[in-house]
Amino acid sequence: MHSVVVDRASGAAVVTATGELDAFVAPDLTSAFTAVEGEPRVLADLGGVSFMDSTALGLLVRATRTLEAAGATFRVVLPRGSARRIFEITALERVLPVAEDRDAALEQLAGANPIGA
């Protein structure tokens, strides 16, 4: 079971994903990231993710590039435990704009300049 929702918190658009993220969930992830395009501050909260395959990881990397190219400030909260392993194997936790938890990410985003500022 999984869920992908978009909401607003502390001046940021938040994509929160939980459960197992695989190719089956790709359309939900794509829709969520499309929904936040044009937002100045975006957070992908993956703290509740229990599994993530390469399809979901590729969507996350693509969303990061797209949003940052459009001028957005982007942060990712990574899952803990076994789901984080794919980030460690690929070394993406060193490349993606990562925050330790949702509160830290929102704090970092709150201090960021909006698009065009």
Side-chain angles (χ1 to χ4, degrees), residues 6 15 28-37 42-44 46 59-60 63 67 74:
V6 177
V15 175
D28 295 341
L29 283 173
T30 300
S31 293
F33 286 122
T34 299
V36 299
E37 286 180 8
V42 179
L43 167 62
L46 307 179
L59 286 171
L60 177 65
L67 291 164
F74 187 71

Side-chain angles (χ1 to χ4, degrees), residues 88-111:
E88 294 167 350
I89 290 169
T90 60
L92 282 174
E93 83 279 4
R94 291 185 243 152
V95 178
L96 293 173
V98 175
E100 291 181 29
D101 57 36
R102 186 180 179 121
D103 290 338
L106 290 171
E107 185 177 309
Q108 292 169 13
L109 290 172

